[in-house]
Amino acid sequence: CKGMLLDREHCINEQNKLLERAEEIETLVFQYGIENIGSTPQIALALENAGIELTEKTGSGRWKMDKDTFDMIAATNNHPLVGLVKEHRSVTKLSSTYYSNFMKFQRSDGRIHPFYWAAAAKTGRMSATEPAILTVPRPDEDKSDAVKQVRNSIVAPEGHVLISSDFSNVEARIFAHY
């Protein structure tokens, strides 16, 4: 397999944009008393100080600060801190999970060569590692431009085109066939 050609310059530029945005957000949340945006207790305290009632704790007794909790808070209270923390988590995940890994696994030929596992997942689905190319987000209409840019890291060599396909519901279709 020839692998997939990686546009390293695109990865670097997009990652830099994400890291700059993460720094901007870290500066903005400082006004709410948050010195470390990764600190669940600091986020919880800032939300409580803003009059937001927290309802769920983890097994260790700390306030839950996961995606579901933030979605629930956002639905009932449109406090800007919730959006900032969610955005920070998103941009840092895109930066590390995709761009860093793409560049980490790029070989001297300018390509990434993921390892494909035919039935490694418990679900029986195919998986890929180094990098996890099958987890790249789809460019749905409702996703941010930053999410859409991840797929632009893989480019076609001159004179070629890329074709993307999705095996949506493939298991159900195979089952129906049999």
Side-chain angles (χ1 to χ4, degrees):
C1 179
K2 290 185 178 182
M4 292 175 259
L5 188 59
L6 184 70
D7 184 345
R8 187 175 192 85
E9 188 175 324
H10 173 80
C11 289
I12 291 168
N13 290 338
E14 291 302 315
Q15 185 176 41
N16 285 340
K17 287 180 196 175
L18 294 172
L19 295 175
E20 285 174 17
R21 180 60 185 151
E23 286 179 17
E24 289 171 10
I25 293 169
E26 289 165 14
T27 302
L28 291 170
V29 300
F30 188 76
Q31 67 183 322
Y32 298 104
I34 298 173
E35 293 178 20
N36 175 3
I37 196 165
S39 169
T40 300
Q42 286 182 25
I43 295 169
L45 181 61
L47 290 171
E48 286 179 317
N49 289 342
I52 296 171
E53 184 180 339
L54 304 176
T55 57
E56 271 191 78
K57 289 191 175 188
T58 64
S60 64
R62 289 185 170 181
W63 289 114
K64 251 188 177 179
M65 293 287 119
D66 60 1
K67 181 186 179 312
D68 292 337
T69 301
F70 280 113
D71 288 346
M72 186 181 71
I73 292 171
T76 58
N77 185 321
N78 196 16
H79 195 278
L81 179 59
V82 173
L84 290 170
V85 172
K86 284 176 67 171
E87 183 183 1
H88 187 272
R89 289 177 178 179
S90 175
V91 298
T92 55
K93 179 179 172 66
L94 288 172
S95 172
S96 63
T97 302
Y98 299 109
Y99 296 118
S100 289
N101 277 329
F102 287 171
M103 292 185 289
K104 175 182 173 184
F105 292 110
Q106 185 180 28
R107 295 187 187 171
S108 60
D109 63 0
R111 297 169 180 268
I112 55 175
H113 299 263
F115 291 104
Y116 290 96
W117 306 95
K122 291 179 183 178
T123 60
R125 291 181 178 211
M126 181 171 61
S127 65
T129 58
E130 297 182 11
I133 197 73
L134 298 179
T135 65
V136 173
R138 285 187 282 179
D140 295 335
E141 300 264 339
D142 61 334
K143 294 199 176 158
S144 72
D145 189 51
V147 171
K148 293 176 185 177
Q149 287 299 320
V150 173
R151 284 194 177 226
N152 292 336
S153 301
I154 309 299
V155 294
E158 194 169 319
H160 294 80
V161 295
L162 286 177
I163 298 173
S164 177
S165 63
D166 184 0
F167 293 107
S168 178
N169 300 315
V170 72
E171 294 90 352
R173 293 168 196 264
I174 292 170
F175 181 74
H177 172 77
Y178 287 110

